[in-house]
Amino acid sequence: MDQDLHCTAERELLEAVSRITTFSTTSPSDEEQNQLKAEISCQVRKENPEKDDLQDSNASLCPNSAMTTKELQEYWRNEKRQCRQVKLLFEIPSTRIVEHHLSKYVMYKIIILQTGSFDSNKSVIERRYSDFEKLHRNLLEEFSEEMEEVTFPKKTLTGNFTEEIINERKLAFKDYLRLLYSMKYIRRSKKFIDFLTRPELQEAYGCLRGGQYTKALEILLEVIGLQERLTRGNPASIVPTLSAIVVCHKDLENPASAFEYGEKALSRLRVHTSHRYYIPLLETMIALAYELGKDFLSLQEKLEEWKAKKDPIRVFTLKELAVREYVQ
């Protein structure tokens, strides 16, 4: 019933747009009309975020799934990718025992991939029991009610390194991550996202500060895909990582790649012009555009417009901001 009502409301909105664009004295082009329809449809879906999964699975039942033009079909596909909740699957296929000085512990290999299609960009991380334990304590502090029914594998006095115990924990941690991710507020929480990304980011920024740009870039490129999937509702949150990638490419004398990732970062700050990375990004992009022979006038205009509205304040360069991230 809810799906029928949603599709009806969506269809009525689209029909209203069609009437407006048909009788307008200054009729827009077909392409502009199609884009407007798609944007309104996407807005309808955004206003009902809890029904995203249902809408995606039943898209073929909705009247508007019959597209009229090739361009509109492609636009729809792009919009659905943006609006749809990304579902992640957690697997723990293997472990390894680490002996370091007087300590000994098990590292669990976690593979994170997107469900529903072949995922060529799966993420692979390693975490130890104490990392899971810390995550559990942190989540209990913030989400005590949601965590009431979540069980955590306890430590044993003996046998922690036996094959039987390790295999049991592999399955337990897999179910644990799957359950946490199924809860909306937890999967969106900084503590859960930090558990999956922070150690790798700390290593990457440490390499960046040490001038090891190739190593830093390698790690950052592995992390950014997972960050994007985990933070779809907060696109500005990955701007620091994108900016660090820009810095690495720039210092490795890859201006074209630096410009590509700079564009991605700026696109996520369109409505966040007060963000601390906004001006340093603009300044870096202007320099890169000039170096690459690209048009930088629009970027320069945005910079001048911002400066005209704001009081002069000290602004760090993009690299200065990057090296300050994850400093303990």
Side-chain angles (χ1 to χ4, degrees):
M1 178 65 73
D2 289 343
Q3 176 66 11
D4 293 339
L5 290 173
H6 169 77
C7 287
T8 300
E10 183 179 356
R11 185 170 62 253
E12 290 174 353
L13 275 173
L14 290 173
E15 289 173 352
V17 172
S18 297
R19 289 195 297 270
I20 292 172
T21 55
T22 299
F23 293 104
S24 173
T25 55
T26 57
S27 298
S29 66
D30 290 341
E31 183 178 353
E32 291 172 334
Q33 293 181 30
N34 289 336
Q35 181 170 338
L36 180 58
K37 293 177 184 179
E39 289 174 346
I40 291 179
S41 298
C42 186
Q43 183 62 37
V44 171
R45 292 198 301 280
K46 287 179 179 178
E47 292 172 359
N48 296 273
E50 297 302 323
K51 299 186 180 65
D52 281 350
D53 295 342
L54 181 62
Q55 288 170 294
D56 292 330
S57 62
N58 293 302
S60 61
L61 301 178
C62 193
N64 294 309
S65 63
M67 301 301 172
T68 57
T69 68
K70 183 177 180 180
E71 292 79 12
L72 183 55
Q73 289 174 347
E74 180 61 28
Y75 192 91
W76 255 103
R77 281 193 289 269
N78 292 335
E79 287 301 311
K80 285 186 70 177
R81 291 190 194 105
Q82 294 298 320
C83 297
R84 181 170 55 198
Q85 174 199 326
V86 173
K87 293 182 179 179
L88 299 182
L89 179 69
F90 299 87
E91 295 288 345
I92 304 181
S94 62
T95 62
R96 63 186 179 94
I97 297 176
V98 178
E99 295 190 52
H100 184 68
H101 297 305
L102 299 178
S103 65
K104 183 179 180 181
Y105 52 87
V106 179
M107 294 293 289
Y108 296 85
K109 181 180 180 180
I110 306 169
I111 297 179
I112 309 161
L113 62 159
Q114 184 175 331
T115 61
S117 61
F118 176 74
D119 189 0
S120 60
N121 297 314
K122 63 185 178 183
S123 301
V124 181
I125 61 176
E126 283 190 317
R127 298 292 182 267
R128 54 189 290 188
Y129 182 95
S130 59
D131 296 324
F132 282 97
E133 196 174 36
K134 181 180 178 181
L135 169 66
H136 193 70
R137 287 197 307 269
N138 289 338
L139 292 178
L140 282 173
E141 292 176 0
E142 187 173 352
F143 305 101
S144 56
E145 185 175 343
E146 291 87 343
M147 296 290 291
E148 280 182 358
E149 304 299 324
V150 179
T151 58
F152 187 81
K154 302 296 183 182
K155 275 187 177 180
T156 59
L157 295 176
T158 59
N160 285 298
F161 300 100
T162 64
E163 184 177 353
E164 181 182 1
I165 293 296
I166 290 174
N167 285 334
E168 286 179 1
R169 286 183 178 168
K170 278 170 54 179
L171 295 174
F173 283 140
K174 173 185 172 180
D175 290 339
Y176 178 73
L177 291 173
R178 177 189 57 79
L179 182 57
L180 294 182
Y181 185 76
S182 70
M183 293 184 276
K184 180 177 66 174
Y185 295 109
I186 290 181
R187 72 168 173 263
R188 293 179 179 177
S189 70
K190 185 178 184 300
K191 292 176 180 178
F192 182 69
I193 294 172
D194 278 353
F195 168 79
L196 296 172
T197 61
R198 189 177 180 88
E200 286 72 24
L201 287 172
Q202 286 177 324
E203 181 183 0
Y205 279 99
C207 291
L208 192 156
R209 284 189 288 273
Q212 298 175 280
Y213 301 115
T214 300
K215 180 62 176 176
L217 182 60
E218 178 185 337
I219 301 171
L220 290 168
L221 290 175
E222 289 180 357
V223 176
I224 190 65
L226 179 57
Q227 272 192 306
E228 287 177 330
R229 297 173 186 180
L230 291 167
T231 60
R232 282 293 178 94
N234 184 16
S237 64
I238 66 169
V239 166
T241 306
L242 289 170
S243 298
I245 292 174
V246 171
V247 170
C248 289
H249 275 306
K250 191 170 183 294
D251 282 357
L252 289 170
E253 299 183 356
N254 299 324
S257 297
F259 191 85
E260 176 189 347
Y261 280 92
E263 286 186 315
K264 292 180 181 180
L266 276 180
S267 71
R268 286 159 172 78
L269 295 181
R270 286 172 182 163
V271 294
H272 302 282
T273 56
S274 60
H275 195 283
R276 61 198 172 98
Y277 272 85
Y278 182 67
I279 294 306
L281 265 170
L282 275 180
E283 293 175 337
T284 299
M285 290 294 285
I286 290 170
L288 287 169
Y290 181 80
E291 181 180 353
L292 293 167
K294 294 179 178 288
D295 179 20
F296 58 86
L297 291 180
S298 61
L299 295 170
Q300 188 69 48
E301 288 173 0
K302 290 178 181 178
L303 180 61
E304 296 301 328
E305 180 182 351
W306 188 92
K307 288 181 177 180
K309 292 180 179 179
K310 304 287 184 179
D311 294 329
I313 57 174
R314 182 189 175 191
V315 177
F316 291 111
T317 66
L318 196 66
K319 188 171 184 177
E320 287 172 339
L321 279 179
V323 299
R324 283 168 169 76
E325 295 285 347
Y326 292 93
V327 175
Q328 296 184 354

